[in-house]
Structures are given as C-alpha cells and as structure tokens.
Amino acid sequence: MTHREFIEIAGARLEYQLLQPQGSTGPTLVLLHEGLGSLELWKDFPTQLAEYCGSPVLIYSRQGYGRSSPVRLPRALDYLSVAGPDELGRVLDSLALGQVVLLGHSDGASIALAYAARRDPRVSGVVVLAPHVDVEQASVEGVRRTVNAYARGDLRERLRAYHGENLDGAFRGWSETWLHPAFAKWNLHQALPCIQVPLLAIQGRDDEFATPAQLQTIACEVGGNCQTVLLDDCRHFPQNQARDRVLTLVAGFMAKLPR
C-alpha cells in the first residue's frame, strides 16, 4: 500500500506523498494527475522520476479523487483553469515548498499550464504530458468511449480500487464536464502567452484523446522557451507507454534549469 499523509486545505482533506531520495537537490517536481487519476494511479512513476532526476517529488490527489475529501457536483466548467490551480496554490502554501517544477498529465497538464500563467515565482518550469489547451472532437469522442466502458462495469471496477467512495464523483466530475455542451468553449489561449518559464510538452502520436494540434498550439502561443516532443508508438499515457523516453526528457529538462 502506498504510504500517504494528509493536509487540510480550505475545508478539504487531501492525500499526498513527498518523495525525497537521499542527496536529492533542486526544485521539487509536483505531479498533477489526469481526470480519472489519483496519487496511487501514478504507480511507480514518481519513484523512478525522483531517482532518475535526483529531485524531490510531490504527488497528491485533488479533492474528489483517491482518498481525498469528496467534491460537490457538478464541477464548475472552468475547473481546470480556476479551481484546480487555486487548489494547487494552496497545496504549495500548506507544504511550504520552495522552487517547484510542475508536471501534469492530461487534465493535470491543463491545471499546470493555467497555474504557470499566474507567474508564481516558485514555479521554475513546467512539464506537460498529453496536454489539453482546448476542446477537440477527438477529446469528446475519447470521453464518450470511456463513459461506455464505465457503464459496462469493467473500467468502473478497476477504478474502484483507487478512488473508493470517490469513484462515482471522480468519474462524473470528469466526464460530465468534458461532455457538457458549454465546455466546448473552454480553452487556455489567453493563458499560454503569460507562461514565461521553460516548458516541455510531450504527447503520444497515437493519443486517443487529442491530436498533435495541442502541441502546435502550445508551441505557437506560449510566452517563454518551449520544447515539444511527439512520441511514436505512444498513446495518451506517455509516462507508462514511453517511460524511458519520458524520464530522459524530463531529466534533461531539469538539468538545464537555473539552480
């Protein structure tokens, strides 16, 4: 079982884990999970990341996920660009972290980008895996396929082990947001030019929830130095499906940041 601790933030109890390998230095990597993710669903990636980069790593489950407090539904349609970043800022404050590098996957990548646009001086850089900066038809179709799998019961039972009593709230909070007709207008186009710190954006060429247009938009609109990488033979989970390549890319990115 994953060792976890809890912090109280704005009336919510969030589970977290802070990995500090012996001799680790530099900014703390803060991991932001995807729309159906949690602390435990990162599995062994955080441990490998900490060892590979020689950096501390913080993982937490957002409210409504994992063993964190439940969240009231429906979620606001601007959750990825407002409530999620607000919560992240409170986590950084509560744990009194110094310099950090945000590493987000999918919905967590959107939160990382939105927070970086706020120009918190603690943020030294950003890494995003399978990011979303606007709503594509591929994303909506991917969510619909996932809803069908959940209704059949197989996905539901796999996720139950990670979310417990938060299971239905986590799934509905994600799927009902992405499938809401008004959510089609959500985007980060105004936020991207505000990001001035170094950025690494990674996506699988066969991502079933987005097209390479996401990387192209980031490269064109972000305000600071940006590297984009499109990985062959990889779908929506680069940290699992192309792990060695991702670890190498992130370690190289971290090594170039000012110390």
Side-chain angles (χ1 to χ4, degrees):
M1 179 179 293
T2 300
H3 172 71
R4 64 173 67 85
E5 299 181 76
F6 291 88
I7 48 175
E8 297 284 340
I9 295 178
R13 189 168 184 254
L14 305 184
E15 63 171 350
Y16 78 95
Q17 183 180 29
L18 182 59
L19 304 176
Q20 294 180 294
Q22 186 173 5
S24 59
T25 59
T28 299
L29 277 157
V30 178
L31 272 56
L32 298 155
H33 62 74
E34 44 111 357
L36 294 179
S38 69
L39 185 158
E40 287 194 16
L41 266 166
W42 286 105
K43 299 186 179 178
D44 62 344
F45 176 69
T47 300
Q48 289 192 10
L49 186 66
E51 294 173 351
Y52 209 92
C53 295
S55 302
V57 173
L58 171 70
I59 321 103
Y60 72 97
S61 294
R62 298 193 294 274
Q63 186 177 357
Y65 293 94
R67 270 60 184 178
S68 293
S69 296
V71 70
R72 182 177 297 177
L73 298 179
R75 284 191 179 277
L77 296 183
D78 59 2
Y79 161 72
L80 296 179
S81 46
V82 179
D86 286 350
E87 181 184 67
L88 170 58
R90 289 191 287 267
V91 169
L92 300 182
D93 292 342
S94 180
L95 295 177
L97 295 182
Q99 292 302 112
V100 301
V101 171
L102 306 179
L103 189 156
H105 171 233
S106 192
D107 280 17
S110 303
I111 293 171
L113 292 169
Y115 191 82
R118 299 182 178 188
R119 299 185 181 178
D120 184 333
R122 292 173 293 189
V123 177
S124 299
V126 184
V127 179
V128 289
L129 309 175
H132 299 288
V133 296
D134 51 29
V135 180
E136 295 183 284
Q137 187 60 33
S139 305
V140 174
E141 291 172 357
V143 173
R144 285 177 177 151
R145 287 193 300 269
T146 308
V147 169
N148 290 336
Y150 190 78
R152 292 195 302 268
D154 46 350
L155 177 61
R156 179 187 179 95
E157 292 311 308
R158 291 200 305 272
L159 290 174
R160 187 184 301 278
Y162 298 100
H163 295 296
E165 294 181 359
N166 274 330
L167 174 61
D168 286 331
F171 191 86
R172 287 183 53 206
W174 169 74
S175 62
E176 292 177 4
T177 297
W178 274 93
L179 296 179
H180 195 290
F183 189 66
K185 297 180 181 179
W186 172 86
N187 65 73
L188 293 175
H189 295 314
Q190 290 187 333
L192 291 177
C194 299
I195 299 174
Q196 299 295 322
V197 296
L199 171 64
L200 170 63
I202 302 171
Q203 185 179 14
R205 189 179 297 276
D206 303 317
D207 191 332
E208 61 270 45
F209 287 90
T211 75
Q214 298 297 316
L215 293 189
Q216 295 164 7
T217 298
I218 290 171
C220 290
E221 297 184 5
V222 74
N225 180 51
C226 177
Q227 177 188 5
T228 61
V229 180
L230 190 62
L231 297 174
D232 291 327
D233 302 315
C234 179
R235 301 186 302 280
H236 191 60
F237 289 82
Q239 69 271 26
N240 297 335
Q241 295 152 354
R243 178 166 299 183
D244 289 347
R245 181 71 172 132
V246 168
L247 289 172
T248 299
L249 287 166
V250 176
F253 176 82
M254 296 287 288
K256 295 177 183 177
L257 293 176
R259 293 281 177 166

